[in-house]
Amino acid sequence: MIPELKGKVLKTQKTRAYAARMADLEATLGTPTAAETARVALFFGVTIGRDFDVLDKMGMVLNETLMGGHEITWTRPFEPDEEVEVTVTLADVQDRGKNRIAVIESLFQAPGGEEIQRQYSTFVHLGGAGRGGEA
Amino acid sequence: MKSFTIKAPAMGTEQFVRYGATVGDFNPVHYDLNFAKELKLPAVISQGPLTFTLALDAAIAENGLDSIAGFKARITAPVFPDTALTITGDADGNVTAASGETTCLEGELSPR
């Protein structure tokens, strides 16, 4: 069932690049450039809904899953409190041996369609090969 | 890109929780020691995106945000609490984060 999910939109969500969260991230990092970094690294697309339901939809069990990699490209930093529309898609999924590798794309756009940022997050589900997920 | 070596600030469990609250990552492996031990880990571990963000922050400190269009990295080892990562970058845009002899992240910057 999982291969049929490849290319499927797993989630769409409207949110904001909350200035308060930028300030929280800046405080957590605590470096001289943290404010700038927070404007490009504010979101983790996979948890955009503040949960891991994207992984659940693919039949990936959180405590059996490792993060293998992450990529962010941006056209510009987020503006504080600007509206953002997020589209989370299963870009690729493969079984390698006993494990399942999934690449999740998260596209961040302004309400008018302008692309602001794109993320690719790679997850390894240990022992997850051959398991099902929601169609 | 500029070559650099920067000691990133050490992140403890408190920072893992604060980062988790910021991005919505509430995986207990980042704050619940018993949960981490069930996974045969000696301690809770940092979020991969937090390690990624620390490496990116070091690159921004040296190169400036305006000169970078993206960052891609592999997470190669877990990062435990209170670990001060050494972030190293070279002229080709390659970036690594290491804890002692252990490389925890290998990445590449995209110049603008």
Side-chain angles (χ1 to χ4, degrees):
Chain A
M1 193 178 292
I2 277 284
E4 297 167 9
L5 290 177
K6 186 174 174 178
K8 182 181 174 70
V9 173
L10 300 170
K11 186 174 217 172
T12 58
Q13 178 127 1
K14 292 183 179 179
T15 185
R16 287 183 182 274
Y18 291 106
R21 286 191 190 151
M22 288 183 182
D24 286 345
L25 182 53
E26 177 184 356
T28 299
L29 297 176
T31 65
T33 47
E36 290 179 281
T37 302
R39 291 185 59 198
V40 292
L42 182 64
F43 294 106
F44 179 37
V46 175
T47 54
I48 195 68
R50 310 192 73 70
D51 55 37
F52 279 97
D53 64 346
V54 166
L55 295 184
D56 293 341
K57 288 179 180 176
M58 297 186 297
M60 300 182 87
V61 180
L62 184 60
N63 61 11
E64 298 173 353
T65 302
L66 303 173
M67 186 171 184
H70 193 50
E71 177 178 1
I72 299 178
T73 56
W74 59 87
T75 61
R76 62 170 175 81
F78 292 107
E79 295 296 335
D81 288 327
E82 76 169 316
E83 290 183 50
V84 181
E85 296 178 358
V86 189
T87 305
V88 181
T89 305
L90 179 58
D92 195 16
V93 60
Q94 298 177 24
D95 286 347
R96 292 185 192 167
K98 295 180 180 177
N99 302 328
R100 170 159 289 161
I101 316 292
V103 180
I104 297 170
E105 178 190 80
S106 305
L107 173 64
F108 297 78
Q109 295 172 292
E114 172 203 8
E115 179 176 333
I116 303 168
Q117 184 173 116
R118 196 178 291 258
Q119 300 182 2
Y120 291 94
S121 306
T122 302
F123 291 90
V124 181
H125 183 188
L126 303 173
R131 297 198 195 177
E134 292 178 18
Chain B
M1 293 291 173
K2 296 178 183 175
S3 298
F4 65 90
T5 299
I6 287 180
K7 202 80 165 177
M11 299 282 121
T13 305
E14 179 185 339
Q15 283 75 30
F16 297 170
V17 171
R18 289 172 62 176
Y19 179 78
T22 299
V23 302
D25 181 348
F26 300 108
N27 186 338
V29 75
H30 305 307
Y31 60 84
D32 184 333
L33 180 58
N34 290 330
F35 184 89
K37 286 184 173 178
E38 286 176 12
L39 302 181
K40 307 192 187 316
L41 292 165
V44 298
I45 59 173
S46 172
Q47 291 91 346
L50 176 55
T51 303
F52 178 98
T53 300
L54 286 167
L56 175 60
D57 183 66
I60 288 172
E62 286 301 314
N63 293 287
L65 181 58
D66 291 343
S67 67
I68 302 171
F71 184 46
K72 176 180 183 178
R74 290 190 308 122
I75 307 297
T76 53
V79 175
F80 298 105
D82 305 314
T83 301
L85 293 170
T86 300
I87 316 292
T88 305
D90 69 19
D92 293 327
N94 299 305
V95 176
T96 61
S99 169
E101 298 297 312
T102 304
T103 299
C104 303
L105 174 146
E106 294 176 334
E108 185 179 350
L109 296 165
S110 298
R112 184 165 299 285

